[in-house]
Amino acid sequence: MRLHRFYTTEYLTPELLYTHSEHLHQWRNVFRYIAGDSVVLFGDGFEHSYRIEDIDKKSATLVEIAKTPSRMQSRECGLALALIKKDNFELVLSKCTELGVTDLYPFISERSIQKMYGEERLHKILVEAAEQSGWGRVPTLHSVQKFEDMVQNNNCVIYDMTGEASTDFDTRIICIGPEGGYSEHELQLAKDFGTKIRKMGEGILRAETAAIVAASLRLLS
């Protein structure tokens, strides 16, 4: 039986008094864990399998029964994503974490939503996706930045219908624009900075679709 995985930043030792309130609530009230059941904690590069010796509302006494290296992403892959509709933005974060994206760079462009969403909720989505998909690393959510700062400072490739058709997805950062696309000014700015502009095909993809497809081509090819 597959054990549920839980991400933590706590220092994990062979014997552990665990006090993470959210996890304790899940263990007791959702999964109905009792003494003798097992859980997996990760976050330090290893999968720590623990047996629950005792559990109550405030803490759980855990004893390690196995420790193995976590499955880490084999390559660095960043996704720069314009701020799109909240539900779609969260969908991209979840699915691209499953695919193995390691860094997320939200940015504001001329046609994007101008306000960043709650970072605590976004981080929770990243954690849950990493827990579910088996990765030992939760993607880093970087601070929101302006489009011009991103193309100036990052090694990225922009995907836009005006770009050159290419199957070359060997790039450090994938850059996906807003629902309305990049403005002419932004595309020219990217060219001025020497940023490559590519397209994935002849069809016009929604921003969330383009992000997931580009990450798939980068990580699964």
Side-chain angles (χ1 to χ4, degrees), residues 137-169:
R137 172 181 173 183
V138 174
T140 301
L141 180 63
H142 296 264
S143 298
V144 64
Q145 56 188 314
K146 294 180 180 179
F147 173 81
E148 54 265 34
D149 295 330
M150 186 193 63
V151 294
Q152 182 176 4
N153 298 323
N154 290 328
N155 176 26
C156 63
V157 171
I158 287 175
Y159 289 97
D160 184 80
M161 284 300 297
T162 63
E164 176 187 348
S166 175
T167 57
D168 177 13
F169 290 91

Side-chain angles (χ1 to χ4, degrees), residues 6 17 76 82 113 118 148 159 210:
F6 299 89
L17 183 65
E76 297 288 317
I113 293 170
E148 54 265 34
Y159 289 97

Side-chain angles (χ1 to χ4, degrees), residues 61-118:
T61 302
L62 307 177
V63 174
E64 188 175 79
I65 54 179
K67 178 182 176 181
T68 58
S70 291
R71 181 169 67 96
M72 294 296 188
Q73 294 88 335
S74 59
R75 65 178 84 173
E76 297 288 317
C77 177
L79 171 65
L81 180 63
L83 295 181
I84 57 178
K85 292 178 182 178
K86 182 173 179 289
D87 289 348
N88 294 337
F89 191 84
E90 293 178 352
L91 173 69
V92 171
L93 263 60
S94 177
K95 297 307 177 185
C96 287
T97 297
E98 291 180 31
L99 289 167
V101 163
T102 56
D103 294 86
L104 291 148
Y105 301 87
F107 69 90
I108 296 173
S109 70
E110 292 181 14
R111 296 173 179 169
S112 70
I113 293 170
Q114 301 295 305
K115 183 179 179 180
M116 179 59 170
Y117 308 118

